[in-house]
Amino acid sequence: EIEVRSLATNDNSNGSKTEEKANLNPSNYAATVSQYVEVSGRVYDFKVTDIEDPGWESFFRKEKGKPEPSGKVFFTGPRNINGEREAQRKYILPVMPGKNDEPGYKDRAVKLGYAVRFEVRTIGNYYDRYDFLQIMPTFYFVDRNGKNRQEVDLYYSTPTNPLVKVGSPEDTLAHAMKLDLKRRGIDLKEFTDTAGAMYRLRGGMNEYSEAEWKEVFPQISQNGVNVFKYHKILLGEPVRSFVGPQREIPESVDKDKALASVQKWYGEYFLPADCLAVPKGTDLSKERNLTRSSPVFLRDGYIIVNFKDISVINNDDFDNPSLKYTGKTGDGWRLEGYNTNQNGWELEPGDVIVYYADKRATDDYFGAGTH
C-alpha cells in the first residue's frame, strides 16, 4: 500500500494537517489518498547469441571449427531496459540479409533447419519450480526484396504424415536442447551458484545434499531438456539461471533472494528443414494433385519468425501471464529501440529470424556427391 499526498503552496504544517482525497476543511493543508499497488517485474534484453548455420559460423565464433564465441550478438535494439543507448549494442535484430559483416557472407539469411540460440532476462519472483518463460511464434513471408509481407501457415512432414500444420493438434514434435556452456560462453559458476541458492531457498532438493545438487543441476540442461515445439517455446527451471546482484547486499536482504531476483533464460528454436509456407488460412484439402512443388507453396522469398509474444508464467498460471515483453507498463520492443525501418524491408516489432523459404540445412548435407 502506498500513500500519496498533495500539499497546498501555503502549507505551514510540514504536511501534518491532512484530509483524505481533498482538503475541504480550510485548516487542512494536504489531500491524501492510499492505494494498494503491485510491484511489477520486467522481461527484457532478448538477444540472439548463436546460429548453427555454417554461413554464420565466422560471425559468432572466434575461430572456425572452435567453440569459443566471438562475442557478437544481436540485440533487440540500441537501448537497454531503461531506454538508454549502449555502445555495445552494435548488431540489432532481426537476423537478416545485410547484417553479417564477415567477408563474403553479407547477404546471408538462415537456412531452414538450423537452430538459432537466444537468451532473455527477467526481474521478479520468477525463481520457483513452476515459473516459465513462454514464446508463441508467428510467421510471415516476404519477397526477395523484403516486401509484400503476409502472414503464413507452415507445414512439415513426419514419417506418418506428409503435411503437418504448425499449431494444429498433429503438431506434437518436441525438441530438446543441450546447453553447451562453452559454445554459449557460460561460466559453470553461473549454474552452480544458481543451484546453491535454489537449494537454500527451498530448504533442500529431494534426497540431494547441497554439494551434490550443485553438481547435478548444471548437468540437467547439458544432457538435454525439451524446450520447444514449432508453435510454442517453453523454457523452465533447467535452462534458467539466477544472475542477480552478489556484492554490496544490505545485511537485511537475503543474499540468495537477491541473486534469484534476476533470471536469465536460455533457449533455441528452428524451423524444420522441409518447411513449406502458404498464405494464412489456405485450405490445402481443396488443392488438386498437391506436391511439394505445387504453386500454392511460397518459395521465392523469406520466412520471418516473430517472437513478439513473450510472456512470463508465474506459479503454473498459464491463463494469466505475469509479464509480457509488450506489457501494459512498458513495451520492451519499443523501450529497447526495435527498428522497423531497415533496408526497406517490411518489418514489425518482434521479428527475430529471417529464414530462406527455399534453402535448407539438408542442402549442405546432401548437396555434394562422394565422387
Side-chain angles (χ1 to χ4, degrees), residues 169-243:
E170 292 77 30
D171 180 23
T172 58
L173 280 179
H175 299 276
M177 177 187 76
K178 291 185 177 182
L179 192 64
D180 188 326
L181 301 187
K182 185 170 285 189
R183 290 188 69 87
R184 294 261 194 164
I186 303 170
D187 188 338
L188 177 62
K189 186 176 183 296
E190 182 179 317
F191 274 82
T192 56
D193 286 351
T194 297
M198 186 188 305
Y199 188 95
R200 292 185 292 272
L201 286 170
R202 299 183 190 178
M205 294 297 295
N206 299 323
E207 73 276 11
Y208 296 105
S209 68
E210 182 174 342
E212 289 171 336
W213 182 243
K214 289 171 77 170
E215 283 192 18
V216 168
F217 178 68
Q219 291 298 323
I220 298 173
S221 59
Q222 293 178 71
N223 290 337
V225 291
N226 287 341
V227 295
F228 76 93
K229 297 178 182 178
Y230 292 124
H231 66 278
K232 180 172 70 174
I233 302 165
L234 189 63
L235 308 180
E237 185 164 273
V239 295
R240 176 194 62 199
S241 65
F242 300 156
V243 292

Side-chain angles (χ1 to χ4, degrees), residues 155-169:
Y155 288 83
Y156 64 96
S157 64
T158 67
T160 58
N161 190 339
L163 281 175
V164 178
K165 182 179 178 180
V166 172
S168 70

Side-chain angles (χ1 to χ4, degrees), residues 305-369:
V305 180
N306 184 286
F307 280 2
K308 185 176 182 180
D309 188 357
I310 301 177
S311 56
V312 183
I313 310 302
N314 188 219
N315 198 29
D316 221 18
D317 188 0
F318 284 85
D319 292 331
N320 300 287
S322 182
L323 291 176
K324 280 184 168 290
Y325 220 95
T326 52
K328 295 178 181 178
T329 57
D331 185 331
W333 302 105
R334 181 181 59 81
L335 284 171
E336 295 174 38
Y338 189 94
N339 183 8
T340 57
N341 183 21
Q342 299 187 50
N343 299 334
W345 279 51
E346 295 176 10
L347 300 175
E348 293 183 5
D351 288 346
V352 171
I353 314 157
V354 174
Y355 278 101
Y356 294 106
D358 59 350
K359 294 183 180 180
R360 313 173 190 282
T362 48
D363 299 339
D364 295 335
Y365 303 141
F366 305 117

Side-chain angles (χ1 to χ4, degrees), residues 54-324:
W56 287 88
E57 182 182 17
S58 58
F59 182 92
F60 286 104
R61 307 260 78 79
K62 277 186 178 180
E63 189 177 341
K64 192 172 183 179
K66 299 295 179 66
E68 289 78 14
S70 66
K72 294 179 179 179
V73 299
F74 281 93
F75 291 90
T76 301
R79 299 195 291 264
N80 63 18
I81 183 177
N82 298 316
E84 302 161 337
R85 283 189 171 271
E86 292 182 338
Q88 71 192 53
R89 294 171 177 257
K90 179 180 178 181
Y91 305 97
I92 60 172
L93 293 170
V95 178
M96 61 183 278
K99 296 291 187 72
N100 193 330
D101 60 3
E102 293 296 315
Y105 293 99
K106 179 182 177 182
D107 295 323
R108 290 296 292 254
V110 182
K111 290 186 179 181
L112 291 165
Y114 282 122
V116 174
R117 301 184 177 98
F118 60 88
E119 60 188 55
V120 62
R121 293 186 182 224
T122 51
I123 297 176
N125 296 331
Y126 308 112
Y127 48 76
D128 291 323
R129 179 180 178 185
Y130 296 108
D131 297 334
F132 303 92
L133 188 128
Q134 177 179 268
I135 304 175
M136 304 296 287
T138 50
F139 313 103
Y140 300 86
F141 180 86
V142 293
D143 63 24
R144 294 288 183 189
N145 298 313
K147 305 289 189 182
N148 299 305
R149 182 184 180 112
Q150 60 178 309
E151 192 168 0
V152 292
D153 291 325
L154 301 183
Y155 288 83
Y156 64 96
S157 64
T158 67
T160 58
N161 190 339
L163 281 175
V164 178
K165 182 179 178 180
V166 172
S168 70
E170 292 77 30
D171 180 23
T172 58
L173 280 179
H175 299 276
M177 177 187 76
K178 291 185 177 182
L179 192 64
D180 188 326
L181 301 187
K182 185 170 285 189
R183 290 188 69 87
R184 294 261 194 164
I186 303 170
D187 188 338
L188 177 62
K189 186 176 183 296
E190 182 179 317
F191 274 82
T192 56
D193 286 351
T194 297
M198 186 188 305
Y199 188 95
R200 292 185 292 272
L201 286 170
R202 299 183 190 178
M205 294 297 295
N206 299 323
E207 73 276 11
Y208 296 105
S209 68
E210 182 174 342
E212 289 171 336
W213 182 243
K214 289 171 77 170
E215 283 192 18
V216 168
F217 178 68
Q219 291 298 323
I220 298 173
S221 59
Q222 293 178 71
N223 290 337
V225 291
N226 287 341
V227 295
F228 76 93
K229 297 178 182 178
Y230 292 124
H231 66 278
K232 180 172 70 174
I233 302 165
L234 189 63
L235 308 180
E237 185 164 273
V239 295
R240 176 194 62 199
S241 65
F242 300 156
V243 292
Q246 291 182 283
R247 297 179 180 178
E248 300 180 3
I249 307 297
E251 290 186 7
S252 60
V253 175
D254 184 293
K255 290 181 173 56
D256 290 328
K257 284 189 176 181
L259 179 66
S261 67
V262 183
Q263 306 86 33
K264 185 188 289 188
W265 310 76
Y266 294 95
E268 75 175 33
Y269 183 79
F270 60 82
L271 290 181
D274 64 347
C275 182
L276 296 169
V278 297
K280 189 170 181 63
T282 300
D283 186 354
L284 292 182
S285 67
K286 295 181 179 180
E287 297 291 326
R288 294 184 177 182
N289 302 318
L290 190 67
T291 67
R292 296 185 66 84
S293 59
S294 295
V296 69
F297 296 118
L298 302 168
R299 289 185 186 79
D300 193 20
Y302 303 93
I303 298 171
I304 299 176
V305 180
N306 184 286
F307 280 2
K308 185 176 182 180
D309 188 357
I310 301 177
S311 56
V312 183
I313 310 302
N314 188 219
N315 198 29
D316 221 18
D317 188 0
F318 284 85
D319 292 331
N320 300 287
S322 182
L323 291 176
K324 280 184 168 290

Side-chain angles (χ1 to χ4, degrees), residues 20-31:
E20 190 174 1
K21 294 186 179 178
N23 55 333
L24 301 178
N25 187 328
S27 63
N28 294 324
Y29 290 87

